[in-house]
Amino acid sequence: MHNETTIISAFWGFVGLSGFGAGPRHNGRFRHNLRNRVLFLPTVGSSPETGFLFGGVVVPQFKVSDAGLDTRSSSILISAIYTVKNQVLTSVVPDIILPCEEWLLRGTYFANYFPENYWGVGPFTNDDDELLVLYTQINLEQAALRKIKSGLFSGPYLRWSKTFNMKYENTDGNRIPSPDVRGSDGSLSAGFGWMTRLDRRNSNMTPTKNHFVEFSLLGYSSWLGSTDPFTSYHVDARKCFDLSGDTHSVLALQGLVRITTGRPPFRDMSMLGGYHQSRVLPRPLS
């Protein structure tokens, strides 16, 4: 898919996040504050595919019962965004850390109505192939990761995603037939797999030091209900450098790799960019 993105003006919200979550030092180590708090973040911005957009993000941060100073805070990120092109994006992202970090419960739940531009699949598409695809998507993901040793977690990973109400329009706004690609009339992707995470960050919301590496494998089989069976592999690596030594200046790097094999529907093909990847929207990397 051909994808472009320009500006989003929520810079001050990211600045507000920078002092939120790591906790004070204790004997040279970060200890994680027990105080519960809530972040409210209004969102205003623009991109070619959305036009003007507005909404908000709410992030409660808390400790579960009996969690001590050496357990990082849990959080639930709740967001809702509406655009002038009648696009609606809602999501809930819980990141629950149980006492002593014995279990990490990470979910991603969202429902979107997101008309977007589409140019086809592959390297031989051009600007003249542009059309508008209108669809509704519901996505449910959940991982339950058990601590193997300090900083290393592994466990099952589930994803269920349905794309439906697929419609297509040309640049003049006229309805056109579905393109000849898998999933053009809608799809259901139900996958089961495994996730392994090495997480040495001092905070899951606003890390200022150390690293994070995550690998996941998901198999979308027809016996699980998938309309187009395929397999996906995902690697996410992040590194934070505390440049000032006092957490006021932090350099954060991230690398992402996603590979699919089999016959994925076009909405599940790997893309450069997208709402959850390489698009500048206020979703903290956690």
Side-chain angles (χ1 to χ4, degrees), residues 71-87:
T71 300
R72 288 170 294 177
S73 296
S74 300
S75 64
I76 302 175
L77 189 151
I78 305 167
S79 67
I81 294 173
Y82 179 78
T83 80
V84 295
K85 295 186 178 181
N86 297 321
Q87 298 154 322

Side-chain angles (χ1 to χ4, degrees), residues 143-187:
L145 308 182
R146 172 76 174 178
K147 182 168 74 173
I148 299 174
K149 62 178 184 180
S150 179
L152 182 62
F153 308 88
S154 191
Y157 177 32
L158 303 170
R159 177 175 180 258
W160 184 94
S161 180
K162 184 175 182 178
T163 304
F164 55 101
N165 292 339
M166 306 284 287
K167 301 175 184 177
Y168 301 86
E169 296 178 357
N170 59 24
T171 53
D172 296 324
N174 299 318
R175 191 67 54 83
I176 59 176
S178 302
D180 186 20
V181 293
R182 285 189 303 273
S184 61
D185 294 320
S187 62

Side-chain angles (χ1 to χ4, degrees), residues 21 37 40 96 147 152 161 181 223 234 251:
R37 40 197 163 183
F40 297 93
I96 309 301
K147 182 168 74 173
L152 182 62
S161 180
V181 293
W223 61 270
H234 189 271
L251 173 64

Side-chain angles (χ1 to χ4, degrees), residues 3-278:
N3 226 329
E4 297 180 31
T5 302
T6 53
I7 57 171
I8 286 290
S9 55
F11 173 76
W12 72 269
F14 288 101
V15 174
L17 282 171
S18 64
F20 182 76
R25 287 184 182 272
H26 177 77
N27 295 332
R29 296 180 58 201
F30 277 94
R31 305 301 295 270
H32 304 288
N33 201 323
L34 285 169
R35 183 163 56 93
N36 297 340
R37 40 197 163 183
V38 179
L39 172 69
F40 297 93
L41 175 60
T43 304
V44 179
S46 177
S47 79
E49 292 177 356
T50 65
F52 179 74
L53 63 86
F54 59 92
V57 176
V58 179
V59 187
Q61 190 179 31
F62 55 92
K63 293 291 188 79
V64 299
S65 178
D66 299 326
L69 293 174
D70 290 320
T71 300
R72 288 170 294 177
S73 296
S74 300
S75 64
I76 302 175
L77 189 151
I78 305 167
S79 67
I81 294 173
Y82 179 78
T83 80
V84 295
K85 295 186 178 181
N86 297 321
Q87 298 154 322
V88 180
L89 305 103
T90 61
S91 66
V92 177
V93 182
D95 192 8
I96 309 301
I97 303 177
L98 298 188
C100 301
E101 303 199 353
E102 290 295 328
W103 284 93
L104 306 183
L105 306 178
R106 169 72 176 185
T108 301
Y109 311 107
F110 66 80
N112 295 341
Y113 173 71
F114 193 75
E116 63 181 353
N117 296 330
Y118 173 73
W119 284 264
V121 177
F124 302 110
T125 59
N126 56 62
D127 289 342
D128 295 333
D129 297 324
E130 180 181 355
L131 56 85
L132 181 70
V133 53
L134 303 92
Y135 66 91
T136 302
Q137 183 178 14
I138 297 175
N139 185 89
L140 310 174
E141 297 180 40
Q142 183 65 57
L145 308 182
R146 172 76 174 178
K147 182 168 74 173
I148 299 174
K149 62 178 184 180
S150 179
L152 182 62
F153 308 88
S154 191
Y157 177 32
L158 303 170
R159 177 175 180 258
W160 184 94
S161 180
K162 184 175 182 178
T163 304
F164 55 101
N165 292 339
M166 306 284 287
K167 301 175 184 177
Y168 301 86
E169 296 178 357
N170 59 24
T171 53
D172 296 324
N174 299 318
R175 191 67 54 83
I176 59 176
S178 302
D180 186 20
V181 293
R182 285 189 303 273
S184 61
D185 294 320
S187 62
L188 174 63
S189 298
F192 174 79
W194 203 261
M195 178 181 289
T196 298
R197 175 186 295 183
L198 177 63
D199 190 355
R200 299 290 188 182
R201 298 172 300 170
N202 57 312
S203 168
N204 59 328
M205 275 288 296
T206 53
T208 60
K209 60 185 296 186
N210 297 334
H211 57 272
F212 167 103
V213 180
E214 182 179 275
F215 171 78
S216 64
L217 164 68
L218 277 172
Y220 298 86
S221 300
S222 56
W223 61 270
L224 291 173
S226 298
T227 53
D228 301 278
F230 70 101
T231 303
S232 69
Y233 308 84
H234 189 271
V235 179
D236 183 352
R238 311 174 196 177
K239 175 67 176 178
C240 293
F241 300 90
D242 185 357
L243 301 180
S244 61
D246 58 5
T247 73
H248 290 163
S249 298
V250 177
L251 173 64
L253 305 176
Q254 181 179 20
L256 291 168
V257 176
R258 185 177 186 270
I259 299 172
T260 58
T261 61
R263 298 175 55 83
F266 83 95
R267 288 296 313 158
D268 277 309
M269 290 180 175
S270 298
M271 293 187 293
L272 179 61
Y275 179 65
H276 301 281
Q277 185 169 299
S278 302

